[in-house]
């Protein structure tokens, strides 16, 4: 595969790996043009959903059975398959990667919502695509896709009104008589400025700011087309002034003034704007983007954090310049940053499907293994999201990764052997061919020799069709199940 190592590094981090053809095409375009295409994804058609069910692409299976339509706006397992399909096939990989980043940042679990409103309504809240809904309802993941790289301040505002978030952090219960503190706490502690930048009285003031930011159901309870949407209930808004320990306005004022019920939503808009432009928000986002895009094995130095935070400030909270600055930084391209991130389960699965293939492997088959690896899409364990880094690699989770690799390669044994035809005159040649088609971290000599020993075992090497049908899938299983393949 005629591909550039720097381009491959970029595509692993800013996407979910590449096919051989994609890697060669992007390498021909060069690093700068590849980065432009990734960041300016709005210039590429968002046509990936139209490919679902088409020949030549990963198959999906309706959760309700083959006699029923595939329904990712109402069935959570169908929604999980659709998102995994997008990760594998989208021509906008950075959009899907940033949606995953925001899913972790604003961690919201389907199960809590489903327990309250039922599976179909909960799936609508987390995954509905507006073009598929009669009232243009947009689920939370579609919100994250829409705001993957625009303004973080605007994203905060949309999240505060998002029905899934209003259920997840109990905003629907926030009234002036009983202010609900969950969202106010997490919007400061996890979503923006972080621990140490606010005091307990700010949480109570924040809860009062969002009183009346509630939900309403459109349609009767039994109406299959009914849904939940944001509703500002002015009668439940606390109209008194709210004072914080940090500046709310650019003149330094720390008090949101008393307002009439009709204008009470401005309280929340003012607070979210203050949190978005707070200096510590830019620094926290810089650190999170470092661990997501650059390295989990070393901490960023303060010059990097300050530089990215300054881009955030100068861009007025727009994320596209921030992410571009991260991906074009010397730190990103440094040799010590290559394979310095532990792949999340969904990254591992999507990359394996892209690099090894998906023939005979419908995406619903991946959902159980993903859960066993420790990650179920739309189901982070708590508001802090998944514990990442080495925490992904328990004994059981690593076994699940190896078993997934075995199932994937076994189901497409014939296609793998056909691709190897003519590329395996010697064991060394076959190993080089498949290491070129996949992107593990470099194998140390002992591990490399073990792969060769596997190919040489069982008799003299001939490279004939029968031998390739046995050895090529097994070799790919060993590569994808290796520790080297768990790094991106």
């Amino acid at each position: 595969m005629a591909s550039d190592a720097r381009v491959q590094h970029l595509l692993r981090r800013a996407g979910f790996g590449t096919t051989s053809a994609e890697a060669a095409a992007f390498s021909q375009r060069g690093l700068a043009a590849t980065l432009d295409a990734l960041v300016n994804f709005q210039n590429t058609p968002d046509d990936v959903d139209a490919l679902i069910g088409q020949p030549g692409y990963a198959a999906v299976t309706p959760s309700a059975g083959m006699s029923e339509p595939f329904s990712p706006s109402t069935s959570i397992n169908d929604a999980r398959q659709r998102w995994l399909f997008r990760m594998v096939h989208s021509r906008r990989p950075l959009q899907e990667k940033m949606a995953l980043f925001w899913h972790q940042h604003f961690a919201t679990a389907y199960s809590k919502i489903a327990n309250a409103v039922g599976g179909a309504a909960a799936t609508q809240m987390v995954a509905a695509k507006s073009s598929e809904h009669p009232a243009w309802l947009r689920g939370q993941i579609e919100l994250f896709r829409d705001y993957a790289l625009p303004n973080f301040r605007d994203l905060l505002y949309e999240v505060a009104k998002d029905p899934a978030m209003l259920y997840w952090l109990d905003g629907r219960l926030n009234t002036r008589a009983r202010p609900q503190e969950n969202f106010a706490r997490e919007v400061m502690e996890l979503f923006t400025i972080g621990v140490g930048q606010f005091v307990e009285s700010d949480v109570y003031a924040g809860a009062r700011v969002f009183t009346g930011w509630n939900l309403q159901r459109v349609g009767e309870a039994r109406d299959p087309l009914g849904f939940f949407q944001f509703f500002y209930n002015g009668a439940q808004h606390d109209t008194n002034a709210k004072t914080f320990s940090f500046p709310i306005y650019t003149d330094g004022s720390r008090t949101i003034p008393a307002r009439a019920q009709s204008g009470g939503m401005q309280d929340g808009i003012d607070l979210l704007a203050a949190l978005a432009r707070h200096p510590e928000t830019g620094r926290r986002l810089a650190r999170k983007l470092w661990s997501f895009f650059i390295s989990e094995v070393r901490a960023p130095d303060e010059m990097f954090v300050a530089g990215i935070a300054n881009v955030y400030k100068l861009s007025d909270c727009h994320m596209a310049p921030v992410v571009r600055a991260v991906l074009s930084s010397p730190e990103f391209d440094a040799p010590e940053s290559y394979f310095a991130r532990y792949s999340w389960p969904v990254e591992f699965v999507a990359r394996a499907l892209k690099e090894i293939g998906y023939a005979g492997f419908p995406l619903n088959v991946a959902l159980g293994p993903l859960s066993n690896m420790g990650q179920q899409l739309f189901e982070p364990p708590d508001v802090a999201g998944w514990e990442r880094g080495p925490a992904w690699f328990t004994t059981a989770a690593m076994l699940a990764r190896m078993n997934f690799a075995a199932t994937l390669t076994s189901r497409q044994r014939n296609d793998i052997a056909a691709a190897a035809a003519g590329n395996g005159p010697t064991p060394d040649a076959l190993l080089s061919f498949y290491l070129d088609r996949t992107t593990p971290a470099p194998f140390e000599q002992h591990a490399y020799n073990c792969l060769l020993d596997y190919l040489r075992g069982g008799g003299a090497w001939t490279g004939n069709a029968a031998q390739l049908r046995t050895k090529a899938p097994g070799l790919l299983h060993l590569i994808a199940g290796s520790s080297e393949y768990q790094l991106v």
Side-chain angles (χ1 to χ4, degrees):
M1 176 168 57
S3 58
D4 183 288
R6 299 171 74 198
V7 171
Q8 278 198 344
H9 172 61
L10 175 61
L11 293 170
R12 281 194 307 273
R13 296 292 176 80
F16 298 88
T18 60
T19 64
S20 300
E22 288 171 343
F26 278 116
S27 293
Q28 188 172 22
R29 295 171 70 175
L31 186 64
T34 298
L35 179 58
D36 282 343
L38 290 169
V39 174
N40 298 319
F41 58 73
Q42 69 278 2
N43 297 329
T44 301
D46 184 17
D47 55 4
V48 64
D49 286 350
L51 305 176
I52 295 175
Q54 298 300 310
Y57 298 92
V60 299
T61 304
S63 298
M66 295 305 295
S67 62
E68 297 296 325
F70 184 67
S71 183
S73 285
T74 58
S75 166
I76 192 61
N77 280 342
D78 289 4
R80 289 171 176 138
Q81 291 183 72
R82 174 161 69 181
W83 198 6
L84 185 55
F85 185 96
R86 289 170 172 174
M87 293 174 185
V88 173
H89 292 299
S90 177
R91 292 196 283 164
R92 298 173 160 197
L94 184 56
Q95 183 179 33
E96 301 306 326
K97 201 64 176 278
M98 286 303 298
L100 183 63
F101 175 82
W102 294 129
H103 183 37
Q104 166 72 12
H105 186 79
F106 297 105
T108 304
Y110 156 85
S111 58
K112 176 180 176 178
I113 306 168
N115 286 338
V117 301
T123 303
Q124 285 183 339
M125 288 191 207
V126 299
K129 186 177 178 181
S130 57
S131 62
E132 297 170 351
H133 194 271
W136 291 87
L137 180 71
R138 177 177 63 183
Q140 192 183 77
I141 292 302
E142 295 300 318
L143 167 63
F144 294 157
R145 295 179 81 238
D146 289 346
Y147 285 85
L149 289 180
N151 196 290
F152 181 69
R153 179 181 57 245
D154 297 341
L155 174 58
L156 267 183
Y157 176 61
E158 294 298 327
V159 166
K161 299 187 301 172
D162 175 61
M165 182 61 72
L166 285 163
Y167 256 99
W168 176 237
L169 292 180
D170 303 311
R172 73 193 191 283
L173 305 175
N174 196 359
T175 63
R176 63 180 184 177
R178 300 184 66 181
Q180 166 51 248
E181 297 181 4
N182 285 352
F183 180 75
R185 183 180 302 279
E186 306 308 350
V187 77
M188 290 184 272
E189 180 175 324
L190 294 176
F191 304 161
T192 58
I193 56 181
V195 175
Q197 303 299 320
F198 63 95
V199 298
E200 195 64 22
S201 62
D202 294 328
V203 176
Y204 184 64
R208 293 167 54 222
V209 160
F210 292 109
T211 50
W213 289 49
N214 302 149
L215 277 177
Q216 67 179 1
R217 180 175 176 85
V218 178
E220 298 296 328
R222 295 175 180 267
D223 183 356
L225 298 179
F227 60 95
F228 292 89
Q229 67 179 13
F230 171 75
F231 169 61
Y232 171 67
N233 186 352
Q236 290 298 336
H237 182 67
D238 183 332
T239 60
N240 297 307
K242 296 96 176 170
T243 299
F244 292 83
S245 66
F246 51 85
I248 299 297
Y249 302 104
T250 55
D251 64 1
S253 172
R254 300 183 177 198
T255 299
I256 294 176
R259 290 189 171 106
Q261 293 178 356
S262 59
M265 273 196 71
Q266 190 63 42
D267 290 5
I269 295 170
D270 290 353
L271 176 58
L272 294 172
L275 292 171
R277 68 171 173 265
H278 192 289
E280 192 54 35
T281 296
R283 288 192 284 268
R284 289 193 73 241
L285 287 172
R287 294 186 187 99
K288 295 192 78 167
L289 290 167
W290 168 279
S291 65
F292 189 68
F293 284 120
I294 296 181
S295 178
E296 289 177 310
V297 301
R298 70 185 195 281
D301 63 51
E302 285 308 306
M303 288 187 64
F304 173 88
V305 172
I308 298 301
N310 191 51
V311 174
Y312 176 81
K313 177 182 177 181
L314 294 177
S315 68
D316 189 29
C317 309
H318 280 86
M319 293 303 299
V322 172
V323 171
R324 177 185 285 275
V326 171
L327 296 176
S328 60
S329 67
E331 292 85 354
F332 177 84
D333 200 37
E336 59 268 27
S337 295
Y338 283 49
F339 302 104
R341 262 204 66 229
Y342 301 94
S343 66
W344 297 14
V346 72
E347 291 179 304
F348 164 73
V349 167
R351 176 181 169 205
L353 290 167
K354 287 180 73 70
E355 294 184 351
I356 295 173
Y358 37 78
F361 195 89
L363 295 181
N364 70 308
V365 176
L367 300 184
L370 273 170
S371 182
N372 293 336
M373 294 175 206
Q375 185 171 36
Q376 191 174 46
L377 293 174
F378 302 102
E379 203 67 71
D382 55 46
V383 73
W386 290 279
E387 187 178 359
R388 301 168 303 285
W392 289 123
F393 296 97
T394 64
T395 301
M398 192 61 203
L399 179 61
R401 291 185 183 225
M402 296 176 70
N403 288 341
F404 171 82
T407 303
L408 177 64
T409 52
S410 176
R411 286 195 173 209
Q412 48 188 325
R413 179 178 299 275
N414 292 336
D415 286 354
I416 290 172
N423 293 293
T426 66
D428 300 72
L430 186 65
L431 179 55
S432 294
F433 171 72
Y434 275 118
L435 290 180
D436 200 36
R437 285 173 62 91
T438 57
T439 57
F443 284 91
E444 294 184 357
Q445 192 62 49
H446 175 71
Y448 185 89
N449 290 339
C450 287
L451 293 174
L452 283 177
D453 289 344
Y454 163 76
L455 291 175
R456 291 168 177 156
W461 184 263
T462 63
N464 61 27
Q467 195 171 47
L468 289 178
R469 190 174 185 277
T470 299
K471 291 292 187 177
L475 176 62
L476 277 177
H477 171 209
L478 293 175
I479 291 172
S482 69
S483 58
E484 288 81 0
Y485 200 78
Q486 312 315 311
L487 302 170
V488 293

